[in-house]
Amino acid sequence: MNPLDGVKNYQVFYGHPTDAILKDMQNYDLVIIEPLHYTKAQIDLIQSRGTKVLGYISVMEVATWNTGLMSKLQAGDFFTRNGQRVHYPEWDSYLTNIASTHFQGLLLTEIQNQVIAKGIDGVFMDTVGDIDNEHLNNPTVLKQQRDGLVNFLKQARAKYGDIAMVQNWGFDTLETSTAPYVDGIMWESFNADTIKSDAWSQNMIKKLQAVDTKHSVKTLTISTRQSAESHKLAKDAGFIHFHEADEYVNWNAGLVTRTATIAPAPSTPTSTATSTESTVKPAETAPKTETTKPAETVTTTETVKPAETVAKTETAKPAETVAKTETAKPAETVTTTETVKPAETVTKTETVKPAETVTKTEAVAKPTTTPVKATTPAQTTSSSAPKVADEKKVTSKKDEKKKKHVKKKAVKAKKHAHVTKQDAPKGKMCGKAKQQTAAFFKFFKL
């Protein structure tokens, strides 16, 4: 059984959690997080309503900010080409050699300490796409790296059982090597305007559907523009979709509501709504004193309509009740508490409306459209979206790759200035769409 079965929505978030975020995460079927920022107690809270949690690890790259891991690497853990390490200046990271058994051991330890020990349900393996991106033109090295990844996955299964494992990109590696060992694959930049008109993408959708049928591997997609259209395209393909508007470092609150009665917010309005009805009866007690002062108060405080409403609701009986129950005290009560104004407050606030607002937030598709427009605001980070205005014109995979590089560089800068730099591993996430180069495009069309 695939641990992702039943997952219909998810969100990726690599920032630091707050109490509000931890609570909102419970509305999702799945969340992908940076485990370094969480305690076991926080993970337990997220999972308390059935939400699954995946913890991030980078498989094919190590960033220099991660000094703990960098200090443990041996020379053979780095991938070298012509005697030189492969460095990505955009993210200040180095390509690793997954064929190294020592490096595989380091990754297994990372999973133990940051995922298993905290009770997290599984791992999200970023940068797997580097295998296809970097080694596609060298069949010997390509096979070595794929075999190394498979060996690592087998060891993870042997040590940690049926934890969920999802790889980012590496579509050809999935089809040829890793499908029997992983539960899912992520496809970033799943934007309808590109996907619909791109032959490579259409062919890849079919391939991933076939892999799912054969090996039960779910596809998780992410769009950065055209939220509604991209969501529909993913749903029609049988994929699980998320629209990302904030580079994974800002929590997109309120996009999903697990049940109609979820949020604590509705409970307050509901009780207030009840009190609205109960205050109507005290409003009826206002006519209890149908004496001169209450009557005059009604006239002066613009409660004519509420008073009329009260009058329509069996004012005769309240009046009689007053007569029977020491009218002196009710009269005093009316004078001191001025229940007329509270009645006005109830009438005007009608907390039922906030409840309606809550209901509106439950509309998954609608709120998701908000981040769509929020995506363009990503232009506010000058480096993250200078090309957004031209995105609609992007049809080639090569241009998409360049956009991805610029965008992820901004995420890196935003997330890693540790103590702001702790979010960094994720900047690389998105698989650098190098797979979308002309050569890779041609490869898959053959």
Side-chain angles (χ1 to χ4, degrees):
M1 179 178 177
N2 190 319
L4 300 182
D5 286 343
V7 172
K8 293 182 173 58
N9 53 67
Y10 76 104
Q11 186 168 162
V12 181
F13 176 64
Y14 296 134
H16 293 265
T18 63
D19 289 343
I21 290 173
L22 292 171
K23 196 165 190 177
D24 199 35
M25 282 181 170
Q26 298 173 15
N27 292 334
Y28 286 81
D29 295 331
L30 172 72
V31 290
I32 300 175
I33 63 169
E34 167 52 78
L36 290 170
H37 302 330
Y38 293 76
T39 64
K40 186 178 187 306
Q42 289 174 320
I43 298 299
D44 291 342
L45 179 62
I46 297 170
Q47 296 169 329
S48 62
R49 296 187 61 195
T51 300
K52 295 181 185 298
V53 182
L54 298 185
Y56 175 101
I57 65 168
S58 179
V59 173
M60 294 301 300
E61 291 179 36
V62 174
T64 56
W65 69 265
N66 194 345
T67 54
L69 184 57
M70 284 289 289
S71 66
K72 298 173 185 175
L73 294 177
Q74 299 177 354
D77 298 333
F78 293 95
F79 184 85
T80 57
R81 185 176 290 132
N82 299 323
Q84 298 294 319
R85 296 177 182 178
V86 178
H87 179 246
Y88 301 107
E90 311 97 305
W91 304 286
D92 194 17
S93 60
Y94 288 90
L95 184 64
T96 56
N97 174 24
I98 193 63
S100 163
T101 55
H102 179 261
F103 182 59
Q104 292 171 20
L106 292 179
L107 291 180
L108 292 170
T109 301
E110 287 283 299
I111 294 176
Q112 174 63 46
N113 295 340
Q114 294 300 325
V115 175
I116 304 302
K118 293 181 179 180
I120 294 176
D121 299 291
V123 292
F124 173 74
M125 300 174 290
D126 193 21
T127 63
V128 170
D130 283 351
I131 292 180
D132 292 352
N133 298 338
E134 295 290 348
H135 310 304
L136 192 62
N137 296 324
N138 189 329
T140 301
V141 174
L142 181 65
K143 185 176 186 308
Q144 289 174 349
Q145 295 299 302
R146 285 177 174 169
D147 289 348
L149 179 60
V150 168
N151 187 55
F152 160 69
L153 294 173
K154 285 181 177 179
Q155 290 186 72
R157 285 291 182 211
K159 290 190 71 170
Y160 308 124
D162 295 330
I163 62 170
M165 294 199 287
V166 176
Q167 71 180 60
N168 191 26
W169 290 90
F171 297 138
D172 193 46
T173 291
L174 174 77
E175 188 178 26
T176 61
S177 308
T178 61
Y181 309 101
V182 299
D183 303 297
I185 185 168
M186 181 176 285
W187 182 342
E188 296 178 284
S189 298
F190 193 87
N191 301 310
D193 54 352
T194 301
I195 303 297
K196 284 182 178 178
S197 59
D198 180 60
W200 178 88
S201 298
Q202 291 300 312
N203 183 47
M204 188 52 59
I205 288 175
K206 294 176 182 177
K207 284 190 173 186
L208 291 176
Q209 289 171 330
V211 170
D212 185 24
T213 299
K214 183 176 181 180
H215 297 285
S216 184
V217 177
K218 306 304 177 186
T219 299
L220 285 68
T221 51
I222 295 181
S223 61
T224 54
R225 57 180 185 268
Q226 290 194 305
S227 174
E229 297 87 343
S230 301
H231 186 95
K232 183 180 185 306
L233 188 62
K235 184 179 180 181
D236 291 344
F239 299 159
I240 309 166
H241 191 71
F242 164 56
H243 181 77
E244 166 54 41
D246 295 310
E247 308 288 2
Y248 310 114
V249 294
N250 291 318
W251 177 256
N252 296 302
L255 297 186
V256 173
T257 300
R258 187 179 290 279
T259 66
T261 57
I262 176 88
S267 62
T268 304
T270 307
S271 59
T272 327
T274 310
S275 67
T276 305
E277 297 176 0
S278 61
T279 17
V280 173
K281 291 183 180 179
E284 292 174 1
T285 52
K288 281 178 181 183
T289 61
E290 274 186 1
T291 56
T292 50
K293 289 184 180 178
E296 289 170 1
T297 308
V298 171
T299 308
T300 56
T301 54
E302 298 178 2
T303 51
V304 178
K305 291 184 180 180
E308 291 174 356
T309 310
V310 173
K312 292 178 183 178
T313 56
E314 300 181 28
T315 49
K317 290 182 180 180
E320 292 171 4
T321 311
V322 173
K324 293 177 183 180
T325 57
E326 297 180 27
T327 51
K329 290 184 179 179
E332 291 171 2
T333 306
V334 172
T335 306
T336 56
T337 58
E338 293 182 5
T339 49
V340 175
K341 289 186 178 179
E344 289 178 354
T345 307
V346 171
T347 308
K348 292 179 181 178
T349 54
E350 286 184 17
T351 41
V352 176
K353 290 187 178 179
E356 294 171 356
T357 309
V358 172
T359 309
K360 291 177 183 176
T361 57
E362 296 169 8
V364 178
K366 296 280 184 184
T368 343
T369 57
T370 305
V372 183
K373 296 180 180 176
T375 304
T376 8
Q379 298 173 15
T380 56
T381 62
S382 58
S383 60
S384 95
K387 298 181 182 179
V388 172
D390 299 323
E391 283 180 346
K392 293 184 180 179
K393 301 177 183 178
V394 177
T395 53
S396 74
K397 291 292 172 183
K398 194 168 185 178
D399 289 340
E400 189 76 14
K401 178 197 73 173
K402 291 179 181 178
K403 169 182 169 287
K404 220 35 187 167
H405 278 311
V406 175
K407 185 174 182 181
K408 291 305 161 185
K409 183 178 180 181
V411 178
K412 273 285 185 193
K414 188 174 182 181
K415 291 166 59 179
H416 294 316
H418 196 77
V419 187
T420 37
K421 276 190 165 184
Q422 291 185 3
D423 299 352
K426 283 7 107 313
K428 179 63 181 24
M429 191 210 167
C430 286
K432 300 194 303 285
K434 289 181 184 175
Q435 294 169 295
Q436 302 170 359
T437 60
F440 190 60
F441 177 78
K442 181 178 179 182
F443 176 82
F444 274 105
K445 291 179 71 176
L446 293 177

